[in-house]
Amino acid sequence: YLSISTDDFVFKDALLFTSPVSLSVYLKQNGIEEKKSIFPYTYFGSIEEMEKQIEFPPHEAFYSELKQENVSEEDYLEAKAEYERRQNLPASDPDKIDNFVGWLIYYNNLDTAPLAKAIDASFGNFFSIFGMDPSFCISLPGYSQKCQFQMYDEDAPLSFSFGTSKQDELRELFRKSLFGGLVNCF
């Protein structure tokens, strides 16, 4: 089984190996703790603006146009305190933040690092149960097909409706043309 790094997958790819779920549910399914924070999505127009932003933006900057609401005062104060704590770290500390670009990196890592752990756990479970590494497949249906063929007698016909000898060619044609279909795992 191969361990997965953060850069290898995005959540969209991970969803190809599970039923449709949110990131929060996917993390919970795989026993990974989620830590959330806040980001002012529409406050900045460029990276250069974030580089110039030294102080934590005002509470109003975190208003979400999408949700039509602002973050809670509690979430805002918690994020601001974390930002200021990281600003006050020694220059040699890898968690030090000098400007809001540092906060963007921190914020993004709150999702990507747990996601990588959840994918690692999920794929580890697949491997321990089926003895096959799912990272060599495109999706759960493809993985399911490989697992089925691994357990299937290679000499047996793929479909019971095709007998041996006269229909060997037809059976092989179907066997080579099969691809996974809709699969839901709950």
Side-chain angles (χ1 to χ4, degrees):
Y1 170 65
L2 302 174
S3 184
I4 298 167
S5 72
T6 305
D7 299 325
D8 290 337
F9 286 91
V10 294
F11 187 54
K12 181 179 173 188
D13 294 333
L15 284 176
L16 295 174
F17 289 89
T18 187
S19 57
V21 294
S22 67
L23 175 61
S24 295
V25 171
Y26 187 71
L27 295 177
K28 187 175 180 182
Q29 285 174 342
N30 291 287
I32 306 300
E33 187 179 329
E34 178 180 30
K35 183 170 180 1
K36 287 295 212 179
S37 192
I38 59 173
F39 192 83
Y41 296 105
T42 57
Y43 188 68
F44 297 106
S46 69
I47 293 291
E48 291 77 22
E49 288 179 28
M50 283 191 264
E51 287 172 341
K52 292 176 186 171
Q53 183 75 35
I54 306 301
E55 299 299 318
F56 200 72
H59 185 248
E60 304 79 50
F62 293 85
Y63 180 81
S64 170
E65 298 289 333
L66 183 65
K67 294 179 180 179
Q68 296 291 306
E69 65 183 22
N70 205 340
V71 299
S72 72
E73 186 72 23
E74 180 183 338
D75 288 346
Y76 174 78
L77 292 173
E78 183 180 320
K80 183 178 180 186
E82 179 62 18
Y83 180 85
E84 290 169 353
R85 183 190 74 76
R86 288 172 175 266
Q87 264 191 324
N88 292 321
L89 292 171
S92 61
D93 193 308
D95 291 334
K96 173 134 177 88
I97 289 178
D98 294 317
N99 56 37
F100 220 72
V101 171
W103 183 256
L104 174 62
I105 293 167
Y106 167 75
Y107 177 79
N108 286 335
N109 284 336
L110 289 177
D111 287 341
T112 56
L115 174 58
K117 289 177 185 175
I119 292 170
D120 197 45
S122 174
F123 279 30
N125 288 333
F126 282 135
F127 185 80
S128 68
I129 293 167
F130 298 106
M132 291 180 58
D133 184 357
S135 65
F136 292 106
C137 301
I138 294 174
S139 64
L140 191 56
Y143 183 70
S144 172
Q145 181 189 27
K146 286 186 182 291
C147 291
Q148 288 173 356
F149 281 140
Q150 176 181 309
M151 296 179 194
Y152 194 74
D153 180 359
E154 289 183 19
D155 296 326
L158 184 60
S159 173
F160 70 89
S161 62
F162 295 106
T164 55
S165 28
K166 293 180 184 177
Q167 297 166 331
D168 282 347
E169 239 179 81
L170 188 56
R171 185 181 68 248
E172 280 306 307
L173 173 67
F174 276 95
R175 184 177 221 153
K176 290 178 182 175
S177 303
L178 278 181
F179 295 96
L182 178 63
V183 175
N184 283 322
C185 292
F186 300 100

